[in-house]
Amino acid sequence: MRKKLEKYKSNLDKVDKNGAPVTSLVQGKKLIGLIYVTEQFDEWKTECLRILQNNFNIETRTFAPDRVILEALQSSSLGQAKGLRQIQNLCMPFVKLKKKDAVQLGAQALDLKLPFGEVQVLEENIDLIKKQLVLEGVQVLSATNPDDRAKVGPHVKQIEQNPPFPGSPTTIFLTR
């Protein structure tokens, strides 16, 4: 969240198309953070995790070769619906991330659900988040709830481009 906030603030230091500093347009306004969470993986991510679970050796924390995993993806329902290139572009970055997590953390990194309520943990820590990031407000919202998505207005594209998944919320900063 700190990195995203720094990026947001650095964008405020730029100038608008008329040459006026953007910062002057938002001075005096409150900076808030909207944290979008989903506690379930998308269907294709669930399929990838199941394949990774089946190809993970818990004792050695190693995986079957990538070609074996790719073959399993191709023969899955996901693979039947998409071509090889689509699977590689869609799944392989996620597979690579989860493989790294599983090697470091163990098999629980491949679980389909977190062992805790992510929304509850974030809500319990709102005051700490506000204090640490120096924000006027923080809201924890559901990425799947249309009313919650509407709160971000035209920035909803950020949720679509970087959708949250369990353990990885999407944060959007706004001035109000």
Side-chain angles (χ1 to χ4, degrees):
M1 288 178 71
R2 283 185 206 274
K3 288 179 184 178
K4 288 181 182 181
L5 181 58
E6 287 173 20
K7 184 177 179 180
Y8 177 80
K9 286 182 176 180
S10 72
N11 286 336
L12 293 179
D13 292 334
K14 297 180 181 173
V15 295
D16 70 9
K17 60 185 170 190
N18 297 325
V22 176
T23 307
S24 66
L25 300 175
V26 295
Q27 278 181 327
K29 294 187 178 182
K30 297 176 183 178
L31 186 60
I32 62 165
L34 303 178
I35 304 172
Y36 285 89
V37 177
T38 184
E39 293 193 347
Q40 293 184 343
F41 285 100
D42 294 340
E43 284 183 43
W44 69 269
K45 287 180 181 176
T46 299
E47 187 76 29
C48 291
L49 286 170
R50 285 195 176 113
I51 289 168
L52 287 174
Q53 289 168 348
N54 292 333
N55 288 282
F56 184 64
N57 182 322
I58 296 171
E59 293 162 9
T60 62
R61 288 191 182 185
T62 58
F63 285 92
D66 283 345
R67 66 174 171 71
V68 172
I69 292 170
L70 188 57
E71 287 171 5
L73 283 168
Q74 284 179 283
S75 62
S76 71
S77 60
L78 180 64
Q80 302 303 315
K82 300 190 181 301
L84 175 62
R85 182 157 312 280
Q86 285 181 308
I87 290 173
Q88 287 175 321
N89 292 340
L90 180 67
C91 297
M92 294 316 283
F94 178 72
V95 165
K96 183 179 177 182
L97 172 74
K98 294 311 283 182
K99 283 175 64 175
K100 180 182 172 195
D101 289 349
V103 168
Q104 290 176 349
L105 305 171
Q108 69 269 18
L110 303 175
D111 288 347
L112 301 179
K113 192 165 171 53
L114 294 175
F116 57 87
E118 189 172 9
V119 170
Q120 180 184 352
V121 169
L122 287 167
E123 286 177 345
E124 288 173 358
N125 289 285
I126 280 180
D127 289 336
L128 177 64
I129 295 167
K130 283 176 21 180
K131 182 178 177 183
Q132 290 292 315
L133 298 178
V134 191
L135 298 172
E136 284 292 320
V138 173
Q139 289 183 17
V140 180
L141 304 165
S142 170
T144 57
N145 182 322
D147 292 334
D148 286 353
R149 290 172 68 100
K151 291 181 181 183
V152 78
H155 301 284
V156 73
K157 293 177 202 156
Q158 292 179 35
I159 299 169
E160 294 162 359
Q161 292 170 348
N162 184 26
F165 57 87
S168 182
T170 298
T171 306
I172 299 173
F173 297 100
L174 301 172
T175 50
R176 297 255 162 119

